[in-house]
Amino acid sequence: METWTVCSPGLYFALGAWLMIVTHTFQNTKAEISCASCPSPVQLPAGELRAKPTDGMSAIKNIKVEFREFGLQNEEQDNNQDDAPDFGKDAAIGKPDFGDGAALLRGKRNSPEFAEFIEIGLPGQADLNSGTSSERMPDGLRSTGLSRSELRKTRNGQQDEHKITSSTFALTGDSAHNHAVVYWSGQNSSVILILTKLFDFHIGSVTESTLWRSSDSGSTYVKMNDKVGSKTVLSYLYVCPTNKRKIMVLTDPEFESSVLISSDEGASYQKYRLTFYILSLLFHPTEEDWALAYSHDQKLYSSLDFGRKWQLVHEHVTPTRFYWSVSGLDKDLDLVHMEAQTPDGSVQYITCRVQMCTEANRNYPFPGFIDISSLVVQDDYIFIQVPTSGRATYYVSYKRDQFIQIKLPKYSLPKDLHIVSTDEKQVFAAVQEWNQNDTYNLYLSDTRGIYFTLAMENVKTTKGMGGNQMLDLYEVEGIRGMLIANKRQNNQVKTFITYNKGRDWRLLQAPARDLDGNEIHCILPFCSLHLQLQTSENPYLSGAISTKSSAPGIIVATGNIGTELSYNNVGMYISSDAGNSWRQIFEEEHNVWFLDKGGALVAVKQPSVPNRHLWVSFDEGRQWTQHSFSSVPLFVDGVLVEAGAENQIMTFFGHFSHRSEWQLIKIDYKSIFTGKCTEEDYQTWHLHNQGEPCVMGQKQIYMKRRPGNYCMIGKDYSRILSAESCICRAHDFECDYGYERHRNGNCRPSFWFNPSATSRSCSLGNNYLNSTGYRKVVLNNCTKGVKEMYTARKQQCPKKPPKGLLLTTKDGKFVANMGTNVTFLVHLDEGDSLRTNIQLDFGDGIAVSYSNLSWAEEGIKHVYKSAGIFCVTALAENSLGYETTTFYLHVTCPVEHVHLLAPFVVIRNKEVNISALVLPTHPRTVTYFWWLGNTTEAMLTLDGSVSYTFPNEGMYSVTVQVAAANIIFQDTKTIAVREFFKSLLLSFSPNLDEFNPDLSEWRQDVGRVIKKAVLQVAEFPEEQLLVAVLPGVPTAAELFLLPNKNQSLDKKKSEEELEQVSNIIVNALNQNLVAFELRPGVRVIVYNTQLTLAPLVDSSPRHKSSAMLMLLAVVFLGLAVFLIYKFKRKIPWINIYAEVNQEKEQEMFSSVGQGDNTPKITLNEFSSKDLMEKELDARVKRGVENSRESTREIPNCTSV
């Protein structure tokens, strides 16, 4: 599978084009076009694991177009991953996706109109009427690079027999259409389809469309609108890659959602309504009627009858992350790989059969969650990315085996990783490491894609049209292991070339002479040739560099000579011997294509100016012959070369002016050939690297047409004549994983790598491969020589005690939900895994033991039935020793409610307890945040209780937040702080309980009503009277009489006043004078509770009898506790508590909170008998009922 494979014209593929006009009407618009499967540098969209698309078994090429206005950002398109150039997509995925289509951008014009150009000309352009201009040369003029001195050496009029024939067809009536998509179905077919559209940039949709069809290879075209519906607006057109006669056309969803199907190369169509809007299509690589469709609402559909009927496969599928099965690897042809989101937003890798993708039939090859947009299925490999402790971890599955973590050098610490290619039995990856910003490092893997070694550092990136970073790396077609890269070195960018997959790199030798024959003084390493490696994102233009697999050794590129890469004073250069030597062919930038399987070259100037000539070379660019393809200069938007392998036809697309119709010029260049090549027309060419004949471990001899012959190469032409294996030498071996190459060329262990460590899979009595620090370059065919010296040696597994024991969870997290499966992974760096016993204690009283580590390779699962922090311990032991490790796991249960327990009035400078009741109970698995005393800084505790002293009088707000997992609950109370106060305990007539919902808002409302009723019988400042309705049933309340702040200094007088008011209120209560109407007909009477808290409460020591009362209260409380314990089985809520305690006690990690070290309020600190009676009365009256309520709310999450 080729990563940078050219959209090969020799494969009979159908090409398509997006064509956008830069007109006066849309002069503020911009088209951004990319061809993901053409030979462009690797595109690196940030933040996602990506892979470059491959040919696979499909000839469809994926083109993506993005429209923006200058200074404006289309948010919808920016957020749609389908719109951005992306090499992580399969051959037919993308929005818009054109099946066999290719993208074409109408070049920006330097002239407003052609008529104006003829009259006044443009600066820097040749005068069309000048006889010295190359534009005025007659057909057949031969040139060696368009240099004036060389042009004078050529002869005029000698090549009349090599004239080309052309015909022009204008798409009349489509001059307003600013998009065109062109398809040549290939397979020796003469059918061409063109879809032109008017895209309205203001509303962002297509408003008009015309479908054209040619059945004579582009000589004439017929409108097909009557076949599809005169009012039907078409958006995209797809050609089946395995049967080019089958075509699928989509209507624009703004008008209707339908698909038109043709089985006769677009001659007739059948329309089928759709219930969804198709964003992209993916055809099956072998089954012509099978297709996957991705909808606008992230649903994936499948069709087994070429779009006539569709069935839902899965919902919430990630865009572009779905793949058909790979032949020879997946068991079922209709298997689909996809990445989908769960309801909670997590992402999973799922496989299923498209017509049986129910929950019961789905498989999850990777058991945990993965990062979004990280699934890549390519050739023998499947890649995913998993976040672990804030750092990305990458996994690979080779030939559908279990996933194994990818091993990069220990401290590479990748910020970004992209799969560049997988087509040569190994993985080529680009990694941006922690200390890189605009460069990437290149890594090569072993055959399984697990162990990666460095191939080149600091490869330059270039910003592409779509805003993505383009990696300046190019794989030369036709020669295995040959790469060209631009490397940033000492603040300069230089071009390097390798012939052995990055094992060795060298600079490019500059040409010895320029086009005029002048000598070039350029000495390595101070001066060299530097190449631009960006190929066009528009596949109708060749871009800055071109190679072809059918023309091995020929490289055409734009570049410059000097100390570093420059984009000024550039020229066109060619190498005929695979980069060993170079020649300049043009002084200006040209688009260069390969004709006749690479036997000839055709060149056209850059499309920014009108042109009517092309140049052809039959001697690998040494001499060029000029031919005219149009009588009127044409703004060339693109050239379709060799769409049909047998008909020798090129098609030029463009406009004579901005407002003219589309012009399609059909060029038949068969007449420039003298006939079919015979054996005498070929010669041998030996591939070499600066004279070294052994490249990738073999001597390769190619057959090439003799330069200057005008014969035509047949389709049965064989390129490689012979390939002979070489004797292995040092350059056939690269450094193994964990080793680095030093200046002397030797591989030495990295500082972090222990070469003496043996794998835990190495069992006593077995053998293992002990690395020498080297490994053979993958697909290198050398034999003997130093192979035995550098190849890993087989050695007997030694006896070693366990070492490097590591315990983690499958998802790498330290938290889990109660009642769910937790999978523990046990890793051992060294030790005989078959003879090492593994014990795992889950910390909740349950432990397991395995006789060897192989039983635990898939992970050890456990379900925790209670919440808490558990200390999980692993022990690895064999006859030579043991090793242990621990892991603290937080098991949580969702918080449902929090209630703040705090007194309503407290005494100044007296420590008070404030507690938070959390339901369900979470012992040490939640975090409490306290805001006390009107402070803005939170106090953090792991305990649900704190002690606090209020130093000043006033009203204070107390807030607590409880955080458990991703859930936070909050409760707030207001506390009055005074030097002393008076309180009364109130009760009510029983009818109030019938309307008590036990809500805090209800209690606040009733408290205001009670306060209003009390003020009617006693004259007292409203702000000094507080009423707090207590939770629970029967309903009770507490009334507080607070002294005036100004009277705090005259304490005795104030106490007397409070006592008088208290007596008045008590008398009124005893006479049933305090009452309120809850609702019509419901009158509630307020009573004074007999067990009252009448005495004043303060901090003075003058209450001498309080100690005796406190002692009696303690004795009474102790007696009550004894009776409850004695008869607990007869009390329902106590019985539930006892049943919970019968469970085995869990081993919990004891965290220390603030409440563990701070003193608590004790009973003997109170100086009032009545305060103690109040506390006791409140517990007796509501304790049982409140406990019963809290118990029934937590049947599943109680933890003891």
Side-chain angles (χ1 to χ4, degrees):
M1 183 181 294
E2 290 289 327
T3 299
W4 302 289
T5 304
V6 162
C7 300
S8 175
L11 297 179
Y12 308 101
F13 63 87
L15 291 178
W18 265 96
L19 203 140
M20 179 169 59
I21 302 177
V22 183
T23 63
H24 294 295
T25 305
F26 304 115
Q27 56 184 322
N28 290 330
T29 62
K30 172 185 175 185
E32 301 180 352
I33 307 175
S34 71
C35 175
S37 55
C38 292
S40 61
V42 181
Q43 303 181 36
L44 307 174
E48 299 175 359
L49 178 63
R50 301 280 187 173
K52 192 164 179 68
T54 54
D55 293 336
M57 300 184 67
S58 170
I60 284 188
K61 305 301 176 187
N62 172 29
I63 310 302
K64 295 156 288 291
V65 183
E66 182 176 352
F67 302 99
R68 292 179 183 154
E69 294 190 5
F70 288 121
L72 299 177
Q73 194 84 358
N74 189 320
E75 180 178 354
E76 179 181 357
Q77 291 173 345
D78 285 350
N79 292 335
N80 191 332
Q81 299 180 37
D82 295 344
D83 292 340
D86 175 6
F87 66 92
K89 303 176 183 178
D90 257 88
I93 309 175
K95 178 192 177 186
D97 190 320
F98 312 109
D100 273 335
L104 178 64
L105 167 65
R106 174 184 286 186
K108 185 176 181 180
R109 315 305 185 198
N110 293 336
S111 169
E113 292 290 344
F114 172 65
E116 298 172 7
F117 175 82
I118 294 179
E119 293 176 4
I120 63 175
L122 289 176
Q125 296 175 346
D127 185 354
L128 294 179
N129 297 318
S130 172
T132 61
S133 171
S134 61
E135 298 289 344
R136 299 289 296 167
M137 291 181 185
D139 290 351
L141 182 61
R142 188 179 300 171
S143 166
T144 57
L146 299 185
S147 168
R148 294 181 185 273
S149 61
E150 293 295 335
L151 288 177
R152 289 194 293 266
K153 298 179 182 178
T154 61
R155 293 175 297 173
N156 295 329
Q158 283 192 359
Q159 304 295 333
D160 292 339
E161 69 274 20
H162 298 312
K163 288 181 179 293
I164 62 175
T165 60
S166 64
S167 62
T168 302
F169 187 90
L171 302 184
T172 306
D174 284 358
S175 60
H177 290 192
N178 51 11
H179 285 184
V181 186
V182 183
Y183 293 85
W184 196 321
S185 63
Q187 294 179 332
N188 299 326
S189 172
S190 59
V191 174
I192 300 177
L193 295 172
I194 300 178
L195 175 62
T196 64
K197 300 179 290 183
L198 173 59
F199 185 89
D200 192 327
F201 291 91
H202 299 288
I203 64 176
S205 65
V206 178
T207 58
E208 296 179 14
S209 68
T210 303
L211 182 62
W212 299 81
R213 185 176 186 269
S214 172
S215 58
D216 53 9
S217 300
S219 297
T220 60
Y221 292 84
V222 177
K223 281 188 177 181
M224 301 294 294
N225 283 29
D226 58 332
K227 301 289 185 180
V228 299
S230 58
K231 296 184 179 180
T232 301
V233 179
L234 306 178
S235 57
Y236 306 120
L237 189 153
Y238 298 83
V239 178
C240 176
T242 53
N243 183 353
K244 301 299 180 63
R245 295 182 59 84
K246 292 189 174 183
I247 297 170
M248 195 179 299
V249 186
L250 301 180
T251 61
D252 191 278
E254 294 293 332
F255 299 89
E256 62 175 317
S257 184
S258 301
V259 59
L260 292 94
I261 296 173
S262 173
S263 299
D264 52 8
E265 292 187 287
S268 61
Y269 294 89
Q270 293 177 307
K271 181 184 285 188
Y272 296 89
R273 295 284 183 178
L274 298 176
T275 59
F276 59 96
Y277 166 35
I278 296 178
L279 285 180
S280 62
L281 283 177
L282 177 63
F283 291 99
H284 195 277
T286 59
E287 300 294 324
E288 62 183 54
D289 289 334
W290 294 7
L292 295 174
Y294 187 76
S295 70
H296 65 289
D297 54 355
Q298 294 188 319
K299 293 180 181 179
L300 187 64
Y301 296 84
S302 67
S303 174
L304 301 184
D305 55 4
F306 201 71
R308 292 169 176 83
K309 291 182 295 184
W310 296 91
Q311 178 175 326
L312 179 65
V313 178
H314 203 282
E315 297 180 342
H316 306 295
V317 178
T318 305
T320 75
R321 299 300 165 172
F322 49 92
Y323 309 84
W324 279 111
S325 61
V326 178
S327 178
L329 294 174
D330 294 304
K331 182 179 179 181
D332 301 307
L333 278 177
D334 61 345
L335 186 76
V336 62
H337 305 260
M338 57 188 162
E339 178 185 298
Q341 296 188 27
T342 62
D344 62 355
S346 302
V347 181
Q348 290 180 304
Y349 165 33
I350 302 173
T351 62
C352 65
R353 302 181 67 178
V354 290
Q355 299 291 312
M356 302 171 55
C357 199
T358 61
E359 181 62 39
N361 295 319
R362 294 172 191 162
N363 294 315
Y364 301 87
F366 187 79
F369 297 122
I370 66 175
D371 277 348
I372 191 169
S373 297
S374 69
L375 175 66
V376 174
V377 180
Q378 192 164 297
D379 293 327
D380 294 339
Y381 308 91
I382 300 176
F383 305 92
I384 58 171
Q385 176 179 323
V386 178
T388 304
S389 302
R391 288 167 50 187
T393 304
Y394 305 94
Y395 286 83
V396 62
S397 169
Y398 177 63
K399 291 188 175 181
R400 305 304 186 260
D401 287 341
Q402 67 178 1
F403 280 91
I404 299 176
Q405 184 176 341
I406 288 177
K407 299 293 185 181
L408 290 166
K410 187 173 183 180
Y411 294 106
S412 65
L413 306 178
K415 295 190 297 184
D416 196 17
L417 182 145
H418 300 269
I419 304 302
V420 176
S421 81
T422 58
D423 55 352
E424 293 190 345
K425 305 299 181 183
Q426 67 179 154
V427 181
F428 206 165
V431 177
Q432 188 173 61
E433 302 188 5
W434 63 275
N435 56 351
Q436 293 178 310
N437 294 318
D438 59 349
T439 60
Y440 279 74
N441 290 348
L442 303 180
Y443 286 91
L444 279 173
S445 76
D446 59 349
T447 302
R448 296 184 300 162
I450 300 174
Y451 294 98
F452 283 78
T453 59
L454 183 65
M456 172 174 268
E457 291 184 298
N458 297 320
V459 178
K460 173 183 172 292
T461 58
T462 304
K463 191 173 183 179
M465 294 179 64
N468 292 325
Q469 293 296 315
M470 314 284 289
L471 192 67
D472 277 18
L473 175 70
Y474 188 84
E475 183 177 9
V476 178
E477 295 191 42
I479 300 178
R480 179 179 294 171
M482 186 174 175
L483 303 168
I484 303 176
N486 285 330
K487 177 181 180 180
R488 187 178 299 280
Q489 180 176 296
N490 298 326
N491 294 324
Q492 291 182 326
V493 177
K494 298 176 181 290
T495 301
F496 290 82
I497 191 170
T498 179
Y499 294 83
N500 52 8
K501 286 194 172 183
R503 197 281 189 193
D504 300 294
W505 296 86
R506 64 172 175 84
L507 295 169
L508 299 180
Q509 178 66 58
R513 298 183 182 277
D514 62 14
L515 279 176
D516 294 325
N518 300 320
E519 186 176 356
I520 299 176
H521 298 281
C522 185
I523 302 175
L524 294 173
F526 310 102
C527 174
S528 60
L529 175 64
H530 308 284
L531 304 180
Q532 297 178 20
L533 302 181
Q534 302 85 22
T535 58
S536 175
E537 296 183 40
N538 174 2
Y540 280 136
L541 303 177
S542 65
I545 185 168
S546 298
T547 60
K548 193 175 184 66
S549 59
S550 60
I554 300 179
I555 307 171
V556 184
T558 303
N560 69 283
I561 299 173
T563 58
E564 63 177 328
L565 178 67
S566 173
Y567 294 90
N568 300 318
N569 300 321
V570 298
M572 297 296 297
Y573 297 86
I574 190 171
S575 175
S576 301
D577 55 3
N580 287 281
S581 62
W582 295 82
R583 290 176 281 109
Q584 186 174 3
I585 56 175
F586 296 117
E587 292 177 340
E588 298 174 309
E589 291 186 64
H590 283 63
N591 287 287
V592 180
W593 295 273
F594 294 84
L595 298 180
D596 186 35
K597 305 294 191 303
L601 299 175
V602 60
V604 178
K605 280 188 176 181
Q606 290 286 359
S608 58
V609 295
N611 187 20
R612 65 188 184 95
H613 297 291
L614 58 84
W615 298 82
V616 180
S617 174
F618 286 87
D619 56 2
E620 299 175 349
R622 292 176 176 85
Q623 289 184 325
W624 295 84
T625 303
Q626 178 183 268
H627 297 271
S628 176
F629 63 84
S630 175
S631 59
V632 178
L634 179 77
F635 286 106
V636 178
D637 293 314
V639 180
L640 177 60
V641 181
E642 284 192 351
E646 297 300 316
N647 50 23
Q648 289 78 43
I649 291 177
M650 293 186 296
T651 304
F652 277 59
F653 306 94
H655 294 74
F656 293 137
S657 70
H658 290 310
R659 298 183 180 90
S660 68
E661 288 85 2
W662 299 99
Q663 304 295 325
L664 288 87
I665 301 179
K666 172 188 174 182
I667 300 175
D668 190 339
Y669 57 87
K670 187 175 183 178
S671 61
I672 66 177
F673 297 100
T674 57
K676 193 171 182 179
C677 294
T678 62
E679 291 185 6
E680 290 75 17
D681 295 316
Y682 294 97
Q683 67 180 15
T684 60
W685 172 68
H686 296 254
L687 174 64
H688 66 94
N689 176 12
Q690 291 186 318
E692 169 57 53
C694 291
V695 177
M696 288 294 288
Q698 62 181 0
K699 299 177 181 178
Q700 303 175 52
I701 302 176
Y702 292 83
M703 293 293 294
K704 298 175 67 174
R705 185 175 57 187
R706 294 181 185 276
N709 285 358
Y710 290 84
C711 63
M712 185 184 303
I713 298 175
K715 64 180 180 180
D716 56 348
Y717 164 65
S718 178
R719 299 186 305 273
I720 300 180
L721 179 64
S722 65
E724 177 186 349
S725 295
C726 299
I727 299 299
C728 288
R729 289 182 291 176
H731 61 253
D732 296 311
F733 293 82
E734 61 188 2
C735 290
D736 202 353
Y737 174 76
Y739 291 80
E740 297 175 332
R741 189 174 301 280
H742 288 229
R743 293 183 178 178
N744 59 6
N746 296 329
C747 296
R748 295 287 182 263
S750 302
F751 73 94
W752 50 266
F753 184 71
N754 180 14
S756 63
T758 58
S759 172
R760 59 179 176 81
S761 61
C762 192
S763 180
L764 186 64
N766 296 330
N767 297 322
Y768 75 102
L769 294 177
N770 186 18
S771 175
T772 61
Y774 301 85
R775 69 185 186 191
K776 191 178 178 182
V777 175
V778 176
L779 296 184
N780 186 294
N781 293 322
C782 73
T783 59
K784 301 180 181 179
V786 298
K787 181 177 181 180
E788 184 176 352
M789 182 193 318
Y790 286 111
T791 303
R793 299 180 179 89
K794 185 179 293 186
Q795 295 183 2
Q796 192 173 19
C797 294
K799 294 181 179 179
K800 285 191 175 182
K803 189 175 181 180
L805 182 63
L806 180 65
L807 178 63
T808 62
T809 56
K810 186 76 172 182
D811 56 7
K813 298 179 180 179
F814 295 88
V815 62
N817 291 328
M818 191 190 73
T820 61
N821 263 324
V822 182
T823 302
F824 294 96
L825 299 180
V826 180
H827 174 78
L828 190 64
D829 287 338
E830 297 182 24
D832 188 348
S833 62
L834 296 180
R835 291 173 171 80
T836 299
N837 177 270
I838 299 295
Q839 297 179 21
L840 191 63
D841 189 338
F842 299 109
D844 60 351
I846 300 176
V848 294
S849 178
Y850 296 91
S851 59
N852 61 70
L853 192 59
S854 62
W855 293 100
E857 287 184 350
E858 297 296 326
I860 304 171
K861 296 183 178 180
H862 184 64
V863 177
Y864 287 90
K865 298 182 179 180
S866 59
I869 302 178
F870 297 87
C871 178
V872 186
T873 305
L875 169 68
E877 184 177 16
N878 62 22
S879 59
L880 298 179
Y882 69 92
E883 187 167 281
T884 62
T885 185
T886 57
F887 182 91
Y888 296 103
L889 181 68
H890 294 238
V891 179
T892 63
C893 182
V895 173
E896 298 177 4
H897 178 71
V898 58
H899 180 66
L900 183 60
L901 301 177
F904 298 97
V905 184
V906 299
I907 299 173
R908 183 177 67 87
N909 289 329
K910 271 291 184 179
E911 195 175 52
V912 61
N913 263 354
I914 302 174
S915 302
L917 175 63
V918 177
L919 300 177
T921 306
H922 287 66
R924 303 204 182 277
T925 60
V926 298
T927 305
Y928 299 85
F929 299 87
W930 305 88
W931 286 268
L932 306 171
N934 296 335
T935 60
T936 57
E937 294 185 4
M939 180 171 61
L940 180 67
T941 68
L942 297 178
D943 194 8
S945 178
V946 296
S947 297
Y948 189 76
T949 300
F950 294 91
N952 301 312
E953 291 186 310
M955 302 299 292
Y956 292 91
S957 175
V958 176
T959 300
V960 63
Q961 284 186 350
V962 177
N966 296 324
I967 301 176
I968 297 179
F969 282 88
Q970 174 179 304
D971 194 13
T972 301
K973 291 287 189 295
T974 300
I975 297 178
V977 179
R978 291 291 187 270
E979 189 74 25
F980 53 88
F981 61 89
K982 182 74 175 181
S983 67
L984 298 172
L985 195 62
L986 307 179
S987 59
F988 306 92
S989 54
N991 56 352
L992 181 60
D993 295 340
E994 300 176 8
F995 302 96
N996 185 355
D998 201 17
L999 296 176
S1000 59
E1001 294 84 356
W1002 183 88
R1003 291 191 290 269
Q1004 293 175 5
D1005 292 337
V1006 172
R1008 285 193 294 270
V1009 175
I1010 298 171
K1011 179 178 180 179
K1012 184 177 180 180
V1014 171
L1015 292 176
Q1016 291 178 355
V1017 299
E1019 293 185 2
F1020 194 71
E1022 182 178 356
E1023 64 275 7
Q1024 296 177 226
L1025 188 144
L1026 298 179
V1027 176
V1029 179
L1030 305 178
V1033 177
T1035 309
E1038 193 167 4
L1039 184 145
F1040 297 93
L1041 301 175
L1042 307 182
N1044 193 314
K1045 287 185 178 181
N1046 299 328
Q1047 296 179 353
S1048 296
L1049 297 177
D1050 193 355
K1051 187 174 181 181
K1052 183 175 181 181
K1053 182 179 179 181
S1054 181
E1055 288 178 353
E1056 293 176 353
E1057 292 178 356
L1058 293 183
E1059 187 69 33
Q1060 293 176 2
V1061 175
S1062 175
N1063 292 333
I1064 295 173
I1065 295 175
V1066 169
N1067 291 333
L1069 291 172
N1070 293 335
Q1071 298 176 25
N1072 297 337
L1073 298 179
V1074 180
F1076 61 92
E1077 190 172 3
L1078 186 66
R1079 58 191 305 177
V1082 179
R1083 180 177 176 81
V1084 179
I1085 301 175
V1086 183
Y1087 303 103
N1088 178 29
T1089 302
Q1090 298 300 319
L1091 186 58
T1092 181
L1093 294 173
L1096 291 171
V1097 179
D1098 60 20
S1099 57
S1100 62
R1102 53 195 176 88
H1103 299 283
K1104 301 298 183 179
S1105 62
S1106 62
M1108 181 61 69
L1109 293 176
M1110 187 68 68
L1111 180 60
L1112 293 175
V1114 170
V1115 173
F1116 178 77
L1117 181 61
L1119 181 59
V1121 170
F1122 174 78
L1123 292 175
I1124 292 174
Y1125 176 79
K1126 185 70 175 177
F1127 302 103
K1128 63 182 179 182
R1129 299 189 181 278
K1130 299 181 180 180
I1131 305 176
W1133 67 274
I1134 291 294
N1135 186 47
I1136 294 176
Y1137 180 82
E1139 290 176 357
V1140 173
N1141 274 276
Q1142 291 175 8
E1143 298 181 6
K1144 185 170 184 177
E1145 185 176 354
Q1146 314 299 330
E1147 179 181 352
M1148 309 291 287
F1149 174 66
S1150 178
S1151 300
V1152 179
Q1154 178 174 340
D1156 296 323
N1157 297 323
T1158 54
K1160 307 294 190 297
I1161 297 178
T1162 56
L1163 295 176
N1164 56 10
E1165 291 179 341
F1166 292 100
S1167 59
S1168 170
K1169 161 190 172 183
D1170 295 323
L1171 184 60
M1172 184 59 220
E1173 292 175 342
K1174 159 193 154 184
E1175 190 76 15
L1176 181 60
D1177 184 74
R1179 297 193 182 194
V1180 171
K1181 281 186 170 290
R1182 284 173 303 280
V1184 174
E1185 186 64 26
N1186 289 343
S1187 298
R1188 182 181 300 119
E1189 292 176 359
S1190 63
T1191 302
R1192 68 167 177 265
E1193 293 180 6
I1194 51 172
N1196 297 321
C1197 300
T1198 303
S1199 179
V1200 181

